[in-house]
Amino acid sequence: MDITKLSYFITAAECGSFSETARLLYTSQPNISKQISSLERALSTELFIRENRSVRLTRAGEYLYEQTKDLPSLFRQITETTRALGRGDAGELTVGVLAGQRLDREIIQRFQRFTQLYPELNFTLERAGFSGLQKALDTMRFDLILTLSFDVRPRDGLMIRTIRTQQKPAIFVSRMSPLAELDDFSKAPYVVISPEESYGGYEQLMHSCRSQGFEPNIVRLADSLDSLLFYVETGVGIAVLDRNTRLETDQDIRVIPIEDADSPDIVAVWSSKNTNPNIRRLVECLADEP
């Protein structure tokens, strides 16, 4: 079975449209139709029911999709790993990751794929706070950092690549605190990251509150994200945070979405002066579709 035809089939099954499949795969709709028809002839069965502007899988098509949907990415991974082993890729790479930030499953899988592609690489991951990441990047102790977009100030020589756009931020409050019963948070006590640790994080809180028409009552400035999370857990105050910390899955924490807030990005940041070739390899792997 041709891997190209199979890739066309899988994308069409997921899109429900030959024209959308053609757009995503940078080819023509007639070519998509031709390749899938060829696959159907080879299997002696129809895989799609063609409708006016859409397609849907037959029973045979559903079975084929479930059995083969992971094969193209697996084939690509096997091919890239084989090439990497043949090149004898090695070297070192040190990456800083924001302390207190939870990396989702897809990003973890991309890290795993990178280590599989370059098994000889001496690869190091370290946690640090907002300011610690920036300082280690400036001194090149970290080759690359993963942080939140609001904490990065673009400047000459700084390279930035978006890895993931996250959910909109939310208000987090301990259910064990009387604050959890509030419906109006305009007068609630707020805990926030200190501007010395993260000027962008501090400004994000101020902007979110002002967009709702009030100035926040700040009762505590935290010198790290972990400290900020602890203040929320112990009921010192409420916080506006992104949706990728440990509080998101804590049953003792009430989460109130802020629908009109800006969504932060997880970004990879590195210096253009750093000539380590493994930086771009990792960035491409992290930014790739799973």
Side-chain angles (χ1 to χ4, degrees):
M1 188 179 296
D2 188 303
I3 193 68
T4 300
K5 291 185 177 68
L6 192 59
S7 296
Y8 288 173
F9 162 75
I10 292 168
T11 305
E14 294 172 344
C15 291
S17 165
F18 285 175
S19 59
E20 179 65 9
T21 299
R23 186 186 70 81
L24 291 173
L25 299 179
Y26 301 99
T27 186
S28 65
Q29 181 176 338
N31 184 47
I32 295 294
S33 299
K34 177 182 177 181
Q35 297 298 330
I36 290 178
S37 294
S38 175
L39 180 60
E40 289 176 321
R41 287 194 300 273
L43 295 172
S44 300
T45 187
E46 288 189 354
L47 301 173
F48 289 100
I49 297 172
R50 276 79 166 171
E51 299 175 334
N52 287 336
R53 294 187 178 181
S54 63
V55 294
R56 55 189 175 90
L57 291 169
T58 62
R59 184 177 178 185
E62 290 176 352
Y63 174 79
L64 181 63
Y65 172 73
E66 288 301 322
Q67 298 301 313
T68 63
K69 59 185 178 181
D70 296 327
L71 286 181
S73 59
L74 180 60
F75 179 79
R76 181 177 61 184
Q77 179 178 319
I78 292 171
T79 301
E80 291 178 349
T81 301
T82 301
R83 289 171 177 165
L85 289 171
R87 292 192 300 264
D89 289 323
E92 296 183 352
L93 186 68
T94 301
V95 178
V97 181
L98 181 60
Q101 184 76 2
R102 181 173 56 86
L103 297 181
D104 64 32
R105 183 177 180 182
E106 288 186 357
I107 293 180
I108 293 297
Q109 288 175 334
R110 294 177 193 186
F111 270 115
Q112 291 173 338
R113 176 169 170 249
F114 178 76
T115 59
Q116 291 167 356
L117 285 173
Y118 305 102
E120 302 299 320
L121 180 67
N122 183 10
F123 182 55
T124 304
L125 280 172
E126 295 183 25
R127 290 278 192 177
F130 288 104
S131 61
L133 289 176
Q134 296 288 347
K135 291 174 182 176
L137 182 67
D138 291 342
T139 60
M140 292 193 185
R141 187 170 73 83
F142 289 162
D143 294 300
L144 176 144
I145 63 172
L146 290 184
T147 189
L148 297 175
S149 54
F150 59 66
D151 198 58
V152 181
R153 300 182 186 180
R155 63 179 189 270
D156 290 343
L158 199 65
M159 310 298 292
I160 305 169
R161 179 82 174 266
T162 298
I163 302 302
R164 172 67 61 82
T165 296
Q166 303 197 96
Q167 298 182 59
K168 293 180 182 297
I171 292 173
F172 290 78
V173 55
S174 172
R175 293 185 185 277
M176 295 182 286
S177 165
L179 297 173
E181 303 301 321
L182 294 176
D183 292 321
D184 180 4
F185 293 96
S186 61
K187 294 182 173 59
Y190 279 80
V191 291
V192 63
I193 199 77
S194 74
E196 290 77 17
E197 172 63 10
S198 173
Y199 182 81
Y202 178 85
E203 283 299 304
Q204 184 191 47
L205 177 280
M206 300 301 293
H207 175 74
S208 296
C209 293
R210 287 167 179 166
S211 68
Q212 300 297 315
F214 68 93
E215 289 288 323
N217 172 28
I218 299 174
V219 297
R220 192 69 57 88
L221 293 175
D223 59 4
S224 70
L225 180 56
D226 270 329
S227 294
L228 179 59
L229 302 181
F230 186 66
Y231 287 145
V232 174
E233 291 168 324
T234 54
V236 173
I238 69 173
V240 174
L241 297 165
D242 76 278
R243 304 291 296 273
N244 226 19
T245 71
R246 66 173 184 264
L247 298 187
E248 178 69 15
T249 56
D250 190 334
Q251 297 301 311
D252 291 327
I253 299 296
R254 181 185 174 195
V255 182
I256 303 96
I258 306 174
E259 296 300 333
D260 56 352
D262 295 329
S263 300
D265 296 331
I266 296 178
V267 292
V269 187
W270 69 100
S271 171
S272 62
K273 297 178 181 179
N274 193 327
T275 59
N276 187 336
N278 292 305
I279 295 175
R280 291 190 179 276
R281 291 171 180 168
L282 175 59
V283 170
E284 291 303 319
C285 198
L286 291 176
D288 194 13
E289 293 298 324

